[in-house]
Amino acid sequence: MIKLTTAEAMQKAIDKARAVKPLVRVVCFGSYTVTNKQTGATYAVTCEKRDGERFADCNCKAGARGLRCYHIAAAAAAHIVLAAGRAAQST
Ligand SMILES: [Zn+2]
């Protein structure tokens, strides 16, 4: 599991995600697939909150080594939007 900290720490991954523009699909809340449209490679990313801190996991080589890959950046962006929508619904 990779701990998602500040946007600054994620910046390189966010920049890469912006450049690659991968396709993010929502499997269910907290579970996503991220596809590189150029290579067709698809990776599974999970996001979860534990004790108020956000964690993510990706099954690509970088993610397996505990690195913040752009798949996680792309999925986390979608996850934050979904989570905000859920929070708005529950109020
Ligand atoms: Zn990855």
Side-chain angles (χ1 to χ4, degrees):
M1 275 292 185
I2 296 155
K3 189 172 158 186
L4 300 181
T5 53
T6 60
E8 286 74 30
M10 291 293 293
Q11 198 56 54
K12 271 173 90 172
I14 292 167
D15 288 346
K16 180 92 192 278
R18 282 194 183 130
V20 174
K21 295 187 180 69
L23 179 68
V24 180
R25 284 199 185 90
V26 181
V27 179
C28 61
F29 182 71
S31 182
Y32 310 90
T33 61
V34 179
T35 302
N36 180 322
K37 284 179 270 185
Q38 276 83 50
T39 66
T42 298
Y43 297 102
V45 178
T46 53
C47 297
E48 63 180 270
K49 213 172 183 183
R50 274 192 219 151
D51 301 327
E53 297 191 290
R54 290 180 191 282
F55 292 86
D57 226 351
C58 179
N59 69 347
C60 77
K61 275 184 195 167
R65 282 164 47 207
L67 300 172
R68 296 180 184 94
C69 59
Y70 74 88
H71 312 113
I72 285 176
H79 181 71
I80 287 162
V81 170
L82 275 183
R86 280 163 70 107
Q89 276 171 20
S90 65
T91 53

Coordinates of all heavy atoms in Angstrom, one line a residue:
M1 N 0.8 -1.2 0.0 CA 0.0 0.0 0.0 C 0.9 1.3 0.0 O 1.9 1.3 0.7 CB -0.9 0.0 1.2 CG -2.2 -0.8 1.1 SD -3.2 0.1 -0.1 CE -4.7 -0.9 -0.1
I2 N 0.5 2.2 -0.8 CA 1.2 3.5 -0.9 C 0.4 4.5 -0.2 O -0.8 4.7 -0.5 CB 1.5 3.8 -2.4 CG1 2.4 2.7 -3.0 CG2 2.1 5.2 -2.5 CD1 2.2 2.6 -4.5
K3 N 1.0 5.3 0.7 CA 0.3 6.3 1.4 C 0.3 7.6 0.5 O 1.3 8.0 0.0 CB 1.0 6.6 2.7 CG 0.3 7.6 3.6 CD 1.0 7.6 4.9 CE 0.6 8.9 5.7 NZ 1.4 9.0 6.9
L4 N -0.9 8.1 0.3 CA -1.1 9.3 -0.5 C -1.0 10.5 0.5 O -1.8 10.6 1.4 CB -2.5 9.3 -1.1 CG -2.7 8.2 -2.1 CD1 -4.1 8.4 -2.8 CD2 -1.7 8.1 -3.2
T5 N 0.0 11.3 0.3 CA 0.3 12.4 1.2 C -0.2 13.7 0.5 O -1.3 13.8 0.2 CB 1.7 12.4 1.7 OG1 2.6 12.4 0.6 CG2 2.0 11.2 2.6
T6 N 0.8 14.6 0.3 CA 0.4 15.9 -0.2 C 0.4 15.8 -1.7 O 1.0 15.0 -2.4 CB 1.5 16.9 0.2 OG1 2.7 16.5 -0.3 CG2 1.5 17.0 1.7
A7 N -0.2 16.8 -2.3 CA -0.2 17.0 -3.8 C 1.2 17.2 -4.3 O 1.5 16.7 -5.4 CB -1.1 18.1 -4.2
E8 N 2.0 17.8 -3.5 CA 3.4 18.1 -3.9 C 4.1 16.7 -4.1 O 4.9 16.5 -5.0 CB 4.2 18.9 -2.8 CG 3.8 20.4 -2.8 CD 2.4 20.6 -2.2 OE1 2.0 19.9 -1.3 OE2 1.7 21.6 -2.6
A9 N 3.9 15.8 -3.1 CA 4.6 14.5 -3.2 C 4.1 13.7 -4.4 O 4.8 12.9 -5.0 CB 4.3 13.7 -1.9
M10 N 2.9 14.0 -4.8 CA 2.3 13.3 -6.0 C 2.5 14.0 -7.3 O 2.1 13.5 -8.3 CB 0.7 13.2 -5.8 CG 0.3 12.3 -4.6 SD 0.6 10.6 -5.0 CE -0.5 10.2 -6.3
Q11 N 3.2 15.2 -7.2 CA 3.2 16.0 -8.4 C 3.8 15.4 -9.7 O 3.2 15.5 -10.7 CB 4.0 17.3 -8.1 CG 3.7 18.5 -9.1 CD 2.2 18.8 -9.2 OE1 1.6 19.1 -8.2 NE2 1.7 18.7 -10.4
K12 N 4.9 14.6 -9.5 CA 5.5 14.0 -10.7 C 4.5 13.0 -11.3 O 4.3 12.9 -12.5 CB 6.8 13.2 -10.3 CG 8.0 14.1 -10.4 CD 9.2 13.4 -9.8 CE 9.9 12.6 -10.9 NZ 11.2 12.1 -10.4
A13 N 3.8 12.2 -10.4 CA 2.8 11.3 -11.0 C 1.6 12.0 -11.6 O 1.1 11.5 -12.6 CB 2.4 10.4 -9.8
I14 N 1.2 13.1 -11.0 CA 0.1 13.9 -11.5 C 0.5 14.4 -12.9 O -0.3 14.4 -13.9 CB -0.3 15.0 -10.5 CG1 -0.9 14.4 -9.3 CG2 -1.3 16.0 -11.2 CD1 -1.1 15.3 -8.1
D15 N 1.7 15.0 -13.0 CA 2.2 15.5 -14.3 C 2.2 14.4 -15.4 O 1.8 14.6 -16.5 CB 3.6 16.1 -14.1 CG 3.6 17.4 -13.3 OD1 2.5 18.0 -13.2 OD2 4.7 17.8 -12.9
K16 N 2.7 13.2 -15.0 CA 2.7 12.1 -15.9 C 1.3 11.7 -16.4 O 1.1 11.5 -17.6 CB 3.5 10.9 -15.3 CG 3.6 9.7 -16.1 CD 4.9 9.7 -16.9 CE 4.9 8.6 -18.0 NZ 5.3 7.3 -17.5
A17 N 0.4 11.7 -15.4 CA -1.0 11.3 -15.7 C -1.6 12.4 -16.7 O -2.3 12.0 -17.6 CB -1.8 11.3 -14.4
R18 N -1.2 13.6 -16.5 CA -1.8 14.7 -17.4 C -1.2 14.5 -18.8 O -1.9 14.8 -19.8 CB -1.4 16.1 -16.8 CG -2.3 16.5 -15.7 CD -2.2 18.0 -15.4 NE -3.0 18.3 -14.2 CZ -2.6 19.0 -13.2 NH1 -1.4 19.4 -13.1 NH2 -3.4 19.2 -12.2
A19 N 0.1 14.1 -18.9 CA 0.7 13.9 -20.2 C 0.2 12.7 -20.9 O -0.1 12.7 -22.1 CB 2.2 13.8 -20.0
V20 N 0.0 11.6 -20.1 CA -0.4 10.3 -20.7 C -1.9 10.3 -21.0 O -2.4 9.7 -22.0 CB 0.0 9.1 -19.8 CG1 -0.5 7.8 -20.3 CG2 1.5 9.1 -19.7
K21 N -2.7 11.0 -20.2 CA -4.2 11.0 -20.2 C -4.7 9.6 -20.3 O -5.4 9.2 -21.3 CB -4.6 11.8 -21.4 CG -4.3 13.3 -21.4 CD -5.0 14.1 -22.5 CE -4.7 15.5 -22.5 NZ -3.3 15.9 -22.8
P22 N -4.5 8.8 -19.3 CA -5.0 7.4 -19.3 C -6.5 7.4 -19.1 O -7.1 8.4 -18.6 CB -4.3 6.8 -18.1 CG -4.0 7.9 -17.2 CD -3.8 9.1 -18.0
L23 N -7.1 6.3 -19.5 CA -8.5 6.1 -19.4 C -8.7 5.5 -18.0 O -8.2 4.4 -17.7 CB -9.0 5.2 -20.5 CG -10.5 4.8 -20.5 CD1 -11.3 6.1 -20.8 CD2 -10.8 3.7 -21.5
V24 N -9.5 6.1 -17.2 CA -9.8 5.6 -15.8 C -11.2 5.0 -15.8 O -12.2 5.8 -16.2 CB -9.7 6.7 -14.7 CG1 -10.0 6.1 -13.4 CG2 -8.3 7.2 -14.8
R25 N -11.4 3.8 -15.4 CA -12.7 3.2 -15.3 C -13.0 2.9 -13.8 O -12.1 2.4 -13.2 CB -12.8 1.9 -16.1 CG -12.9 2.1 -17.6 CD -13.5 0.8 -18.2 NE -13.5 0.9 -19.7 CZ -12.4 0.6 -20.4 NH1 -11.3 0.1 -19.9 NH2 -12.5 0.7 -21.8
V26 N -14.2 3.1 -13.4 CA -14.6 2.8 -12.0 C -15.1 1.4 -12.0 O -16.1 1.1 -12.7 CB -15.6 3.8 -11.5 CG1 -16.0 3.5 -10.1 CG2 -15.1 5.3 -11.7
V27 N -14.5 0.5 -11.3 CA -15.0 -0.8 -11.1 C -16.1 -0.8 -10.0 O -17.2 -1.2 -10.2 CB -13.9 -1.8 -10.7 CG1 -14.4 -3.2 -10.5 CG2 -12.8 -1.8 -11.8
C28 N -15.7 -0.2 -8.9 CA -16.7 0.1 -7.8 C -16.0 1.2 -7.0 O -14.8 1.5 -7.3 CB -17.0 -1.1 -7.0 SG -15.6 -1.8 -6.2
F29 N -16.7 1.8 -6.0 CA -16.1 2.8 -5.2 C -14.8 2.3 -4.6 O -14.8 1.3 -3.9 CB -17.1 3.3 -4.2 CG -16.5 4.5 -3.4 CD1 -16.3 5.7 -4.0 CD2 -16.1 4.3 -2.1 CE1 -15.8 6.8 -3.2 CE2 -15.6 5.3 -1.3 CZ -15.4 6.6 -1.9
G30 N -13.7 2.9 -4.9 CA -12.4 2.5 -4.3 C -11.6 1.6 -5.2 O -10.5 1.2 -4.9
S31 N -12.2 1.1 -6.3 CA -11.5 0.2 -7.2 C -11.6 0.7 -8.7 O -12.7 0.9 -9.2 CB -12.1 -1.2 -7.0 OG -11.5 -2.1 -7.8
Y32 N -10.4 0.8 -9.3 CA -10.4 1.4 -10.6 C -9.5 0.7 -11.6 O -8.6 0.0 -11.1 CB -9.9 2.9 -10.5 CG -10.6 3.6 -9.5 CD1 -10.2 3.7 -8.2 CD2 -11.8 4.3 -9.8 CE1 -11.0 4.3 -7.2 CE2 -12.6 4.9 -8.8 CZ -12.1 4.9 -7.5 OH -12.9 5.5 -6.5
T33 N -9.7 0.8 -12.8 CA -8.7 0.3 -13.8 C -8.2 1.5 -14.6 O -9.0 2.4 -14.9 CB -9.3 -0.8 -14.8 OG1 -10.3 -0.2 -15.5 CG2 -9.7 -2.0 -14.0
V34 N -6.9 1.6 -14.9 CA -6.3 2.7 -15.6 C -5.6 2.1 -16.8 O -4.8 1.2 -16.7 CB -5.3 3.4 -14.7 CG1 -4.6 4.5 -15.4 CG2 -5.9 3.9 -13.4
T35 N -6.1 2.6 -18.0 CA -5.5 2.1 -19.2 C -4.7 3.1 -20.0 O -5.2 4.3 -20.1 CB -6.7 1.6 -20.2 OG1 -7.5 0.6 -19.5 CG2 -6.2 1.1 -21.5
N36 N -3.5 2.8 -20.4 CA -2.7 3.7 -21.2 C -3.2 3.4 -22.6 O -3.1 2.3 -23.2 CB -1.2 3.3 -21.1 CG -0.3 4.1 -21.9 OD1 -0.7 4.5 -23.1 ND2 0.8 4.5 -21.4
K37 N -3.8 4.5 -23.2 CA -4.5 4.3 -24.5 C -3.4 4.1 -25.6 O -3.8 3.5 -26.7 CB -5.3 5.5 -24.8 CG -6.6 5.5 -24.0 CD -7.5 6.7 -24.3 CE -7.2 7.8 -23.4 NZ -8.0 9.0 -23.5
Q38 N -2.2 4.5 -25.4 CA -1.1 4.3 -26.4 C -0.7 2.8 -26.4 O -0.5 2.2 -27.5 CB 0.1 5.2 -26.1 CG 0.0 6.6 -26.7 CD -0.8 7.5 -25.7 OE1 -0.6 7.6 -24.6 NE2 -1.8 8.2 -26.3
T39 N -0.5 2.3 -25.3 CA 0.1 0.9 -25.2 C -1.0 -0.1 -25.0 O -0.8 -1.3 -25.2 CB 1.1 0.8 -24.1 OG1 0.4 0.9 -22.8 CG2 2.2 1.8 -24.2
G40 N -2.2 0.3 -24.5 CA -3.3 -0.7 -24.2 C -3.1 -1.4 -22.9 O -3.9 -2.2 -22.5
A41 N -2.0 -1.0 -22.2 CA -1.8 -1.7 -20.9 C -2.8 -1.2 -19.8 O -3.0 0.0 -19.7 CB -0.3 -1.3 -20.4
T42 N -3.4 -2.1 -19.1 CA -4.3 -1.8 -18.1 C -3.9 -2.3 -16.7 O -3.4 -3.4 -16.6 CB -5.7 -2.4 -18.4 OG1 -6.2 -1.9 -19.7 CG2 -6.8 -2.1 -17.4
Y43 N -4.0 -1.4 -15.7 CA -3.6 -1.8 -14.4 C -4.7 -1.5 -13.4 O -5.6 -0.6 -13.7 CB -2.3 -1.0 -13.9 CG -1.2 -1.3 -14.8 CD1 -0.8 -0.4 -15.8 CD2 -0.5 -2.5 -14.7 CE1 0.3 -0.7 -16.6 CE2 0.6 -2.8 -15.5 CZ 1.0 -1.9 -16.5 OH 2.0 -2.2 -17.3
A44 N -4.8 -2.3 -12.4 CA -5.8 -2.2 -11.4 C -5.3 -1.3 -10.2 O -4.2 -1.6 -9.7 CB -6.3 -3.5 -10.9
V45 N -6.1 -0.3 -9.8 CA -5.7 0.6 -8.7 C -6.8 0.5 -7.7 O -8.0 0.6 -8.0 CB -5.5 2.0 -9.2 CG1 -5.2 2.9 -8.0 CG2 -4.4 2.1 -10.2
T46 N -6.4 0.4 -6.4 CA -7.4 0.5 -5.3 C -7.1 1.6 -4.5 O -5.9 1.9 -4.3 CB -7.5 -0.8 -4.5 OG1 -6.1 -1.1 -4.1 CG2 -8.0 -2.0 -5.3
C47 N -8.1 2.3 -4.0 CA -7.9 3.5 -3.1 C -8.7 3.2 -1.8 O -9.9 2.7 -1.9 CB -8.4 4.8 -3.7 SG -7.6 5.3 -5.2
E48 N -8.2 3.4 -0.7 CA -8.9 3.3 0.6 C -8.5 4.3 1.6 O -7.4 4.8 1.5 CB -8.9 1.9 1.1 CG -7.5 1.4 1.5 CD -7.5 0.0 2.0 OE1 -7.7 -0.2 3.2 OE2 -7.3 -0.9 1.2
K49 N -9.3 4.5 2.6 CA -9.0 5.4 3.7 C -8.9 4.6 4.9 O -9.8 3.8 5.2 CB -10.2 6.4 3.8 CG -9.7 7.8 4.3 CD -10.9 8.7 4.2 CE -10.5 10.1 4.6 NZ -11.6 11.1 4.5
R50 N -7.8 4.7 5.6 CA -7.6 4.0 6.9 C -7.2 5.0 7.9 O -6.2 5.7 7.7 CB -6.5 3.0 6.8 CG -6.9 1.7 6.2 CD -5.8 0.7 6.4 NE -5.7 -0.2 5.3 CZ -4.6 -0.8 4.9 NH1 -3.5 -0.5 5.5 NH2 -4.6 -1.6 3.9
D51 N -7.9 5.1 9.0 CA -7.5 6.0 10.1 C -7.4 7.5 9.6 O -6.5 8.2 10.0 CB -6.3 5.6 10.9 CG -6.4 4.2 11.4 OD1 -7.5 3.9 11.9 OD2 -5.4 3.5 11.5
G52 N -8.2 7.9 8.7 CA -8.2 9.2 8.2 C -7.1 9.5 7.1 O -7.0 10.6 6.6
E53 N -6.3 8.5 6.8 CA -5.3 8.7 5.8 C -5.6 7.9 4.6 O -6.1 6.8 4.7 CB -3.9 8.3 6.4 CG -3.5 9.1 7.5 CD -2.1 8.9 8.0 OE1 -1.7 7.9 8.5 OE2 -1.3 9.8 7.7
R54 N -5.2 8.4 3.4 CA -5.5 7.8 2.1 C -4.4 6.9 1.7 O -3.2 7.3 1.7 CB -5.8 8.8 1.0 CG -7.1 9.5 1.3 CD -7.4 10.5 0.2 NE -8.5 11.4 0.5 CZ -9.7 11.1 0.4 NH1 -10.1 9.9 0.0 NH2 -10.7 11.9 0.8
F55 N -4.7 5.7 1.2 CA -3.8 4.8 0.7 C -4.2 4.3 -0.7 O -5.4 4.3 -0.9 CB -3.6 3.5 1.6 CG -3.0 3.9 3.0 CD1 -3.8 4.3 4.0 CD2 -1.6 3.7 3.1 CE1 -3.2 4.6 5.2 CE2 -1.1 4.0 4.4 CZ -1.9 4.5 5.4
A56 N -3.3 3.9 -1.5 CA -3.6 3.4 -2.8 C -2.6 2.3 -3.2 O -1.5 2.2 -2.6 CB -3.5 4.5 -3.8
D57 N -3.1 1.5 -4.1 CA -2.3 0.3 -4.5 C -2.4 0.2 -6.0 O -3.5 0.4 -6.5 CB -2.8 -0.9 -3.8 CG -1.7 -1.8 -3.3 OD1 -0.5 -1.5 -3.6 OD2 -2.0 -2.8 -2.6
C58 N -1.4 -0.1 -6.7 CA -1.4 -0.4 -8.2 C -0.7 -1.6 -8.5 O 0.3 -1.9 -7.8 CB -0.8 0.8 -8.9 SG -0.9 0.6 -10.7
N59 N -1.1 -2.4 -9.4 CA -0.5 -3.7 -9.7 C 0.6 -3.6 -10.9 O 1.0 -4.6 -11.4 CB -1.5 -4.8 -10.0 CG -2.3 -4.6 -11.3 OD1 -2.2 -3.5 -11.9 ND2 -3.0 -5.6 -11.7
C60 N 1.0 -2.3 -11.2 CA 2.0 -2.2 -12.2 C 3.4 -2.4 -11.5 O 3.4 -2.5 -10.3 CB 2.0 -0.8 -12.9 SG 2.6 0.5 -11.9
K61 N 4.5 -2.4 -12.2 CA 5.8 -2.7 -11.7 C 6.2 -1.6 -10.6 O 6.7 -2.0 -9.6 CB 6.8 -2.7 -12.8 CG 6.9 -4.1 -13.5 CD 8.1 -4.0 -14.5 CE 8.0 -5.2 -15.4 NZ 8.9 -5.0 -16.6
A62 N 5.9 -0.4 -11.0 CA 6.3 0.7 -10.1 C 5.5 0.6 -8.8 O 6.0 0.8 -7.7 CB 6.1 2.1 -10.8
G63 N 4.1 0.4 -9.0 CA 3.3 0.4 -7.8 C 3.6 -0.8 -6.9 O 3.5 -0.7 -5.7
A64 N 4.0 -1.9 -7.5 CA 4.4 -3.1 -6.7 C 5.6 -2.8 -5.9 O 5.8 -3.4 -4.8 CB 4.6 -4.3 -7.6
R65 N 6.4 -1.8 -6.3 CA 7.6 -1.5 -5.6 C 7.4 -0.3 -4.6 O 8.3 0.2 -4.0 CB 8.8 -1.1 -6.6 CG 9.4 -2.3 -7.2 CD 10.3 -1.9 -8.4 NE 11.1 -0.8 -8.2 CZ 11.5 0.1 -9.2 NH1 11.1 -0.2 -10.4 NH2 12.3 1.1 -8.9
G66 N 6.1 0.1 -4.5 CA 5.7 1.1 -3.5 C 6.0 2.5 -4.1 O 6.0 3.5 -3.3
L67 N 6.1 2.7 -5.4 CA 6.3 4.0 -6.0 C 4.9 4.6 -6.4 O 4.0 3.9 -6.7 CB 7.1 3.9 -7.2 CG 8.6 3.3 -7.0 CD1 9.3 3.1 -8.3 CD2 9.4 4.2 -6.1
R68 N 4.9 5.9 -6.3 CA 3.6 6.6 -6.7 C 3.6 6.7 -8.3 O 4.3 7.6 -8.8 CB 3.6 8.0 -6.1 CG 3.5 8.0 -4.6 CD 3.4 9.4 -4.1 NE 3.5 9.4 -2.6 CZ 4.6 9.5 -1.9 NH1 5.7 9.6 -2.5 NH2 4.5 9.5 -0.6
C69 N 2.9 5.8 -8.9 CA 2.9 5.8 -10.4 C 1.7 6.7 -10.9 O 0.9 7.1 -10.1 CB 2.7 4.4 -10.9 SG 1.2 3.6 -10.3
Y70 N 1.7 7.0 -12.1 CA 0.7 7.9 -12.7 C -0.7 7.2 -12.7 O -1.7 7.9 -12.7 CB 1.1 8.4 -14.0 CG 0.9 7.5 -15.2 CD1 -0.3 7.3 -15.9 CD2 2.0 6.7 -15.6 CE1 -0.4 6.4 -16.9 CE2 1.9 5.8 -16.6 CZ 0.7 5.7 -17.3 OH 0.6 4.8 -18.3
H71 N -0.7 5.9 -12.6 CA -2.0 5.2 -12.5 C -2.7 5.6 -11.2 O -3.9 5.8 -11.2 CB -1.8 3.6 -12.6 CG -0.9 3.2 -13.6 ND1 0.3 2.6 -13.4 CD2 -1.0 3.2 -15.0 CE1 0.9 2.3 -14.5 NE2 0.1 2.7 -15.5
I72 N -1.9 5.6 -10.2 CA -2.5 6.0 -8.9 C -2.9 7.4 -8.9 O -4.0 7.7 -8.4 CB -1.4 5.7 -7.8 CG1 -1.4 4.2 -7.5 CG2 -1.8 6.4 -6.5 CD1 -0.3 3.7 -6.5
A73 N -2.1 8.3 -9.5 CA -2.5 9.7 -9.6 C -3.8 9.9 -10.3 O -4.7 10.6 -9.9 CB -1.4 10.5 -10.3
A74 N -4.0 9.1 -11.4 CA -5.2 9.2 -12.3 C -6.4 8.7 -11.5 O -7.4 9.3 -11.5 CB -5.0 8.5 -13.6
A75 N -6.2 7.5 -10.9 CA -7.3 6.9 -10.2 C -7.7 7.7 -8.9 O -8.8 7.8 -8.6 CB -6.9 5.5 -9.8
A76 N -6.7 8.2 -8.2 CA -6.9 9.0 -7.0 C -7.7 10.3 -7.4 O -8.6 10.7 -6.6 CB -5.6 9.4 -6.3
A77 N -7.5 10.9 -8.5 CA -8.2 12.1 -9.0 C -9.7 11.7 -9.1 O -10.6 12.4 -8.7 CB -7.6 12.6 -10.2
A78 N -9.9 10.5 -9.8 CA -11.3 10.1 -9.9 C -11.9 9.7 -8.6 O -13.1 10.0 -8.3 CB -11.3 8.8 -10.9
H79 N -11.1 9.1 -7.7 CA -11.6 8.7 -6.4 C -12.1 9.9 -5.6 O -13.1 9.8 -4.9 CB -10.5 7.9 -5.7 CG -10.9 7.4 -4.4 ND1 -11.8 6.3 -4.2 CD2 -10.6 7.7 -3.1 CE1 -12.0 6.1 -2.9 NE2 -11.3 6.9 -2.2
I80 N -11.3 10.9 -5.6 CA -11.6 12.1 -4.8 C -12.9 12.7 -5.3 O -13.7 13.2 -4.5 CB -10.4 13.1 -4.9 CG1 -9.2 12.6 -4.1 CG2 -10.8 14.5 -4.4 CD1 -7.9 13.2 -4.4
V81 N -13.1 12.8 -6.6 CA -14.4 13.3 -7.1 C -15.6 12.4 -6.7 O -16.6 12.9 -6.2 CB -14.3 13.4 -8.7 CG1 -15.7 13.7 -9.3 CG2 -13.3 14.4 -9.1
L82 N -15.4 11.1 -6.8 CA -16.4 10.2 -6.3 C -16.7 10.3 -4.8 O -17.9 10.4 -4.4 CB -16.0 8.7 -6.6 CG -16.3 8.1 -8.0 CD1 -15.9 6.7 -8.0 CD2 -17.8 8.3 -8.3
A83 N -15.6 10.4 -4.0 CA -15.8 10.5 -2.6 C -16.5 11.8 -2.2 O -17.3 11.8 -1.3 CB -14.4 10.4 -1.9
A84 N -16.2 12.9 -2.9 CA -16.8 14.2 -2.7 C -18.3 14.1 -3.0 O -19.1 14.6 -2.3 CB -16.1 15.3 -3.5
G85 N -18.6 13.4 -4.1 CA -20.0 13.2 -4.5 C -20.8 12.4 -3.4 O -21.9 12.7 -3.1
R86 N -20.1 11.4 -2.9 CA -20.8 10.6 -1.8 C -21.0 11.4 -0.6 O -22.0 11.3 0.1 CB -19.9 9.3 -1.5 CG -20.1 8.2 -2.5 CD -19.0 7.2 -2.4 NE -19.0 6.4 -1.2 CZ -19.4 5.1 -1.2 NH1 -19.8 4.5 -2.3 NH2 -19.4 4.4 -0.1
A87 N -20.0 12.2 -0.2 CA -20.1 13.0 1.0 C -21.2 14.0 0.8 O -22.0 14.3 1.8 CB -18.7 13.7 1.2
A88 N -21.4 14.6 -0.4 CA -22.4 15.6 -0.6 C -23.8 14.9 -0.5 O -24.8 15.5 0.0 CB -22.2 16.2 -2.0
Q89 N -23.9 13.6 -1.0 CA -25.2 12.9 -0.9 C -25.6 12.6 0.5 O -26.8 12.6 0.8 CB -25.1 11.6 -1.7 CG -25.3 11.8 -3.2 CD -25.0 10.5 -4.0 OE1 -24.9 9.4 -3.4 NE2 -24.8 10.7 -5.3
S90 N -24.6 12.3 1.4 CA -25.0 11.9 2.7 C -25.4 13.0 3.6 O -25.7 12.8 4.8 CB -23.8 11.1 3.3 OG -22.7 11.9 3.4
T91 N -25.2 14.3 3.2 CA -25.5 15.4 4.0 C -26.9 15.9 3.7 O -27.5 15.7 2.7 CB -24.5 16.6 3.9 OG1 -24.4 16.9 2.5 CG2 -23.2 16.2 4.4
Ligands
ZN1 ZN 0.7 1.9 -11.6

